Amino acid sequence: MKQLPNHLTMSRFWMTAIMMICLSIHFESPANQTIAYIAALGIFVLASITDALDGYLARNFFGVTSFGKLMDPLADKVLVSAAFIGFVEQGSIAAWMVVLIIAREFMVTGMRLLMIEKGIVMPAGPWGKIKTTVQMLAICLYFFGLIWESSWLPMPGTSYAWWLGLGAALLTAWSGVVYFWQQRHIIWEKEDKG
């Protein structure tokens, strides 16, 4: 039972895989396609809930572990990156926007690992939290767009999708700039050769 938060963290990896299968599979029947997209959205929402739950349980009941410090943010990045890559495959978002989002996530994850090695734990700042909220909202809205397109309902204008992707990409990039600016003393710190 003590490892429950870590099990929840790991569950996001296999939920990501199932979400991608549901997102990538193509059915001839629009009804089946709609069901697949709804399932992918449901799995994404469930995985997002485990993200909040595992951190809460670790901090308040079970204790924070080194494994959790490393794997929790990594599981989040994999989930978000996979969803955005799936939307590129569906033609819902421009690839360059997703590359910008993923590049920022990899760079910040690398920086966090460097800080953990130095014994520094950097909590998510306000821009990082806003970025995560916007990304999750954007992903849900992209799912709703796919569900709508695959259903029998007439589709309203989809120009919002480009602006939504641009907003998520720019906010993600900005939060990365703020993060690296705040940690510039660590980035330029000279190694002790003594």
Side-chain angles (χ1 to χ4, degrees):
M1 191 68 176
K2 187 176 180 181
Q3 295 298 317
L4 179 60
N6 291 341
H7 289 308
L8 289 172
T9 296
M10 292 305 295
S11 74
R12 284 203 295 289
F13 288 106
W14 60 260
M15 281 193 274
T16 299
I18 296 171
M19 177 193 73
M20 288 305 293
I21 291 169
C22 294
L23 183 57
S24 299
I25 197 165
H26 297 286
F27 290 100
E28 294 295 326
S29 163
N32 289 340
Q33 192 67 63
T34 301
I35 291 169
Y37 289 148
I38 291 171
L41 171 60
I43 293 166
F44 176 78
V45 170
L46 181 62
S48 299
I49 291 169
T50 68
D51 178 27
L53 186 59
D54 64 2
Y56 174 79
L57 292 174
R59 286 187 302 273
N60 295 291
F61 299 103
F62 297 100
V64 176
T65 64
S66 297
F67 179 87
K69 287 180 187 177
L70 175 65
M71 297 307 287
D72 181 60
L74 185 58
D76 299 342
K77 308 296 190 248
V78 169
L79 176 67
V80 168
S81 299
F84 278 122
I85 290 169
F87 296 138
V88 170
E89 181 184 8
Q90 297 293 332
S92 300
I93 187 172
W96 70 265
M97 295 177 186
V98 175
V99 169
L100 187 61
I101 290 168
I102 293 174
R104 181 271 184 201
E105 300 297 8
F106 275 111
M107 291 171 68
V108 169
T109 298
M111 186 66 186
R112 283 188 183 275
L113 291 175
L114 175 64
M115 292 171 68
I116 287 172
E117 184 180 299
K118 294 176 179 288
I120 303 168
V121 177
M122 179 69 180
W127 279 108
K129 291 176 182 176
I130 293 169
K131 177 268 306 180
T132 300
T133 301
V134 169
Q135 283 182 345
M136 297 295 187
L137 178 62
I139 289 169
C140 288
L141 290 176
Y142 274 113
F143 271 122
F144 283 127
L146 289 174
I147 291 165
W148 194 296
E149 286 177 353
S150 66
S151 71
W152 64 91
L153 297 170
M155 184 64 185
T158 56
S159 61
Y160 77 89
W162 191 87
W163 292 104
L164 186 63
L166 179 64
L170 292 179
L171 185 58
T172 300
W174 174 251
S175 70
V177 169
V178 170
Y179 183 87
F180 275 89
W181 176 254
Q182 291 172 339
Q183 307 310 318
R184 64 191 181 280
H185 61 283
I186 295 174
I187 296 171
W188 303 113
E189 181 181 65
K190 293 183 178 178
E191 292 289 334
D192 183 13
K193 297 183 179 180

